[in-house]
Amino acid sequence: WETENPKTAYYLSMEYLHGRTLSNAVRNIGMGGEYEQALLQFGHKLEEVEAEEKDAGLGNGGLGRLASCFLDSSATLDLPVWGYGLRYKYGLFKQRIEDGLQTEIAEDWLDMSNPWEVRRSQVTYPVKFFGEVQNGKWVGGEQLSATAYDVPIPGYNTANTISLRLWNVESESIRFDLESFNSGKHLAAHKSQINAEDLCSVLYPGDDSSEGKELRLRQQYLLVSASIQDIVATFKRRQLAQVGKINWQSFPEKVSVQMNDTHPALSAPELMRILMDEEGLDWKAAWKIVGKTCNYTNHTILPEALEAWNMEVMDTLLPRHMDIIRRMDKEFRSSLKRVAGESQDDFQARLENMAILKDVDPFTLKKPEKKVKAGYRLSGAPAEEEGNALPDPVVRMANMSVISAKNVNGVAALHTEIVKAETFNDYFNLWPEKFQNKTNGVTPRRWLAWCNPELSAVITKWLGTEEWISDLTLLKGLEQHAESPELHAEWREAKLATKTRLADYVKEKTGYDIPVSSMFDTQIKRIHEYKRQLLNIMAVAYRYKKIKAMSASERKEVVPKVVMIGGKAFATYVQAKRIVQLIVAVAKKINNDSEIGDLLKVVFIPNYNVSVAEVLIPGTDVCQQISTAGMEASGTSNMKFMMNGSLTIGTLDGANVEIREEAGPEHFFLFGATADEIPVIREVRAAGNFVPDPLFTETMDYIKSGVFGETFEELLGSLEGNEGFGRGDYFCVGHDFPSYVEQLEAVDEHWKDQDKWVTSSIINTANSGKFSSDRTIDQYANEIWGVKPHSVKL
């Protein structure tokens, strides 16, 4: 690439959820067997050595796991793609359950160093904060140095290995205050070094405080600034080597920048700053380059996730960028015109909805006076009453991303339609050509071939080839054998092996014994109200109550089930931590009820991560994808479960829609309101007209009775009332509860006919080919980035 200079895509993401490197790498390069034999000669087993490696603390959830899948696929497809991220020393956190509550401790993945990284001491860039703007130049302020650490990403069945470049800020000796130290102020002497190192200490530091918010913003700019500087330096170096001069107009022909969500949204103003302040381009030329280079992937429609930064903080922290952002906003406002039939008021409302800056003086684009006259309208705000304090102006990062991007994409068909029809509807009407869908995918190497060797062997035997590992559409060939008794026997044997491995893991980590003959029902996601782990555990409580009321003869008809829930609640997300507390309490009660025995077991899987998922997913019979419709952008665990033959109970949300289409409705257990119905349900609730189903009321009362050790009034209070913060059942748990219970009963009936169940399992795997990240990345390469395969020649 350095000599041939192909167009390269650069993927910027605040997180990557890699998991372990050794097991994936040796298999991707085709050396798994040889490596295993070599270790045996030294008296070690491959599995034991792999287990010693800690998961990299670089990510949290689906956003980071998707980014890692994309790098794996990019390498496998021989695409010139480079990843950029931050090297977090302590990760997000390591989750523990103590006295029934989630506690958090720092990740220790770097305590013994990281053998998979290469420190590039010669690749460093200055990153500046604070200071002021003089004559269009950024002067003064605090300057840090970002150092590159490269992590190799080997492709499958290819010599191509790309890199994930992680930036780290290290404590330079110049930051040590020797005078303070010698005067006895030892801690003060390290203050500057500590402040610098804080930038790469923790992924998503708590942002309840102003200091936490500022640290998050500083992290985002660190990622963007070091990465964009590196991209520009690479372009200049290759241009000079290839053609002897730098032609900036060819920059978009050689560079494509992908912003993974709004965290890297500062890429556009940073590239503008470099092109104008350091390379001497004028605004028009620089903006033209940016508009052809940057692309934005939207991952959420949740309002709190569409970042909006306090403008005063940004003015202080990044003064030159705010100059650039104000001009971006001013020029966008000037370019927007009324459409036919649009009133002036409607036009003004549309403009304020689309502008980058909100709650600013519409003329100066700065914070207005502290008080306004009656009837005066702020940018993005309703008319204010005289004397009222004004809201703080903010910079809307999603708006800036859409305005500056060449392409904007959603990550599932339903999600993209919501983005176009609701979230960014005004932009879609203005620039329909910008918007695309790129349904997410997962790498079939890590998430089927390597994590489920038993099932993979069965698949290879029946397809007669291993080519499916790099062309997942070949799995479709299993469908013709879906009712074969011989395949059924081998499928069951493979599933038993994975369930046994999972049962052993559960015993080791929790102490609970779970029978492998039971149905294994799993939900693994970060804990969030919209993902509705609360709905899941309430249905478990209802099931327990029902079993307790049964006679001995009735219990013989009950399908034995093990319900497993795993995920981390963000450290400051109180309601999510209460959900974890309820799950743990329900598990303790049920698992120690000798009357129930093996009819029902509940397990909260602690410290859920990639390596845990590699055990949980292959061993699962049915997975829960039960988010409130219209709120999950895509989801990727649903795809992993499908590949491994799990059936799904879920809503029409995210990629569930496409999974159901591929598998067929008879192999998917659908419940709940649709995305179109959710707003109406909320309106009915707000009007005080919602009547809960008796099943839901019964279950609420049962939990409140204290049967699980506490009444959980604060948690369940969110499901009561008609509206208000933390109330009114915003995520429609009560509405969907009866249809959810009904479909759980349908799952039980399906399970009772094991031949029917295994057929459904085979059909799910056979129709999962669409959900390979190889397909997704091929679409990004062809339809967004414009990059082509470029094989490494050895």
Side-chain angles (χ1 to χ4, degrees), residues 50 71 127 232 242 249 253 272 284 309 321 384 434 515 590 632 766:
E50 289 173 344
L71 293 186
V127 178
V232 170
Q242 190 177 51
Q249 304 311 312
E253 298 170 13
M272 289 291 291
K284 184 177 180 180
W309 290 108
H321 295 78
E384 296 285 337
K434 270 196 183 193
I590 293 176
E632 184 76 84

Side-chain angles (χ1 to χ4, degrees), residues 219-368:
Q219 285 184 329
Q220 292 184 7
Y221 181 62
L222 169 65
L223 167 66
V224 163
S225 181
S227 302
I228 297 295
Q229 288 184 73
D230 195 44
I231 291 166
V232 170
T234 299
F235 169 77
K236 292 170 66 175
R237 184 177 66 248
R238 292 179 181 177
Q239 280 274 295
L240 288 172
Q242 190 177 51
V243 298
K245 63 179 182 178
I246 298 171
N247 175 13
W248 286 106
Q249 304 311 312
S250 67
F251 190 84
E253 298 170 13
K254 295 296 182 181
V255 173
S256 183
V257 173
Q258 189 69 42
M259 300 180 289
N260 191 30
D261 219 352
T262 54
H263 307 128
L266 287 166
S267 295
E270 174 68 358
L271 183 54
M272 289 291 291
R273 181 192 70 81
I274 292 171
L275 292 176
M276 293 190 300
D277 297 1
E278 298 181 11
E279 302 300 338
L281 277 69
D282 61 25
W283 177 276
K284 184 177 180 180
W287 183 247
K288 188 175 181 180
I289 290 170
V290 168
K292 292 181 178 180
T293 300
C294 294
N295 304 286
Y296 163 52
T297 299
N298 172 270
H299 282 279
T300 182
I301 61 168
L302 292 175
E304 66 267 25
L306 295 173
E307 293 179 305
W309 290 108
N310 181 286
M311 192 177 74
E312 285 190 274
V313 172
M314 287 194 64
D315 269 321
T316 302
L317 201 63
L318 301 169
R320 177 58 178 141
H321 295 78
M322 279 309 304
D323 274 5
I324 294 169
I325 291 169
R326 281 193 175 90
R327 183 164 177 184
M328 289 167 62
D329 193 45
K330 179 181 179 181
E331 298 211 350
F332 173 75
R333 289 169 182 264
S334 298
S335 71
L336 203 62
K337 306 299 179 188
R338 285 171 64 178
V339 297
E342 185 178 34
S343 69
Q344 182 60 36
D345 284 349
D346 287 345
F347 168 70
Q348 191 64 31
R350 179 166 65 92
L351 185 151
E352 301 303 350
N353 181 58
M354 298 175 74
I356 298 171
L357 303 177
K358 181 183 179 184
D359 297 331
V360 295
D361 184 299
F363 302 105
T364 66
L365 301 184
K366 294 184 177 181
K367 186 173 183 177

Side-chain angles (χ1 to χ4, degrees), residues 606-680:
N607 202 42
Y608 173 65
N609 58 24
V610 173
S611 295
V612 176
E614 289 172 357
V615 179
L616 274 168
I617 291 171
T620 292
D621 294 304
V622 61
C623 72
Q624 303 254 357
Q625 309 294 336
I626 58 176
S627 52
T628 309
M631 303 202 75
E632 184 76 84
S634 168
T636 53
S637 71
N638 45 9
M639 302 170 185
K640 298 163 193 170
F641 281 113
M642 184 189 192
M643 284 181 188
N644 285 270
S646 170
L647 278 61
T648 301
I649 179 170
T651 52
L652 281 180
D653 196 26
N656 287 357
V657 176
E658 292 159 87
I659 286 174
R660 184 170 179 262
E661 288 172 354
E662 295 297 310
E666 67 272 28
H667 306 293
F668 185 105
F669 299 94
L670 178 66
F671 77 95
T674 64
D676 290 339
E677 293 168 343
I678 292 294
V680 178

Side-chain angles (χ1 to χ4, degrees), residues 533-755:
Q533 288 91 350
L534 180 55
L535 174 64
N536 187 348
I537 199 61
M538 288 184 70
V540 171
Y542 173 73
R543 188 183 187 96
Y544 176 62
K545 183 176 184 294
K546 264 181 57 177
I547 296 173
K548 289 287 285 183
M550 288 179 180
S551 65
S553 59
E554 288 173 324
R555 288 178 184 172
K556 290 180 180 178
E557 299 301 314
V558 173
V559 171
K561 180 190 269 193
V562 177
V563 176
M564 288 171 277
I565 303 174
K568 294 179 179 179
F570 191 67
T572 57
Y573 189 174
V574 175
Q575 198 73 334
K577 295 177 86 167
R578 288 173 178 154
I579 293 170
V580 173
Q581 182 184 2
L582 176 59
I583 296 167
V584 174
V586 171
K588 182 178 179 181
K589 175 69 175 181
I590 293 176
N591 297 344
N592 289 290
D593 188 335
S594 58
E595 182 185 352
I596 296 299
D598 288 343
L599 287 181
L600 182 60
K601 298 289 184 184
V602 183
V603 181
F604 183 80
I605 305 293
N607 202 42
Y608 173 65
N609 58 24
V610 173
S611 295
V612 176
E614 289 172 357
V615 179
L616 274 168
I617 291 171
T620 292
D621 294 304
V622 61
C623 72
Q624 303 254 357
Q625 309 294 336
I626 58 176
S627 52
T628 309
M631 303 202 75
E632 184 76 84
S634 168
T636 53
S637 71
N638 45 9
M639 302 170 185
K640 298 163 193 170
F641 281 113
M642 184 189 192
M643 284 181 188
N644 285 270
S646 170
L647 278 61
T648 301
I649 179 170
T651 52
L652 281 180
D653 196 26
N656 287 357
V657 176
E658 292 159 87
I659 286 174
R660 184 170 179 262
E661 288 172 354
E662 295 297 310
E666 67 272 28
H667 306 293
F668 185 105
F669 299 94
L670 178 66
F671 77 95
T674 64
D676 290 339
E677 293 168 343
I678 292 294
V680 178
I681 294 166
R682 288 174 178 153
E683 289 174 7
V684 170
R685 182 81 184 224
N689 296 324
F690 174 71
V691 180
D693 188 278
L695 285 183
F696 180 68
T697 304
E698 177 187 340
T699 304
M700 286 273 284
D701 292 343
Y702 186 57
I703 296 171
K704 285 182 178 181
S705 72
V707 65
F708 299 113
E710 295 186 32
T711 59
F712 294 95
E713 293 278 356
E714 290 178 306
L715 172 60
L716 298 179
S718 68
L719 307 180
E720 298 175 332
N722 296 323
E723 58 184 338
F725 181 76
R727 291 180 63 78
D729 193 9
Y730 184 78
F731 302 100
C732 302
V733 172
H735 179 277
D736 284 357
F737 188 79
S739 64
Y740 177 53
V741 169
E742 180 181 323
Q743 282 303 299
L744 286 171
E745 291 170 354
V747 171
D748 288 351
E749 289 304 309
H750 205 73
W751 177 263
K752 290 176 181 178
D753 186 341
Q754 277 295 292
D755 285 338

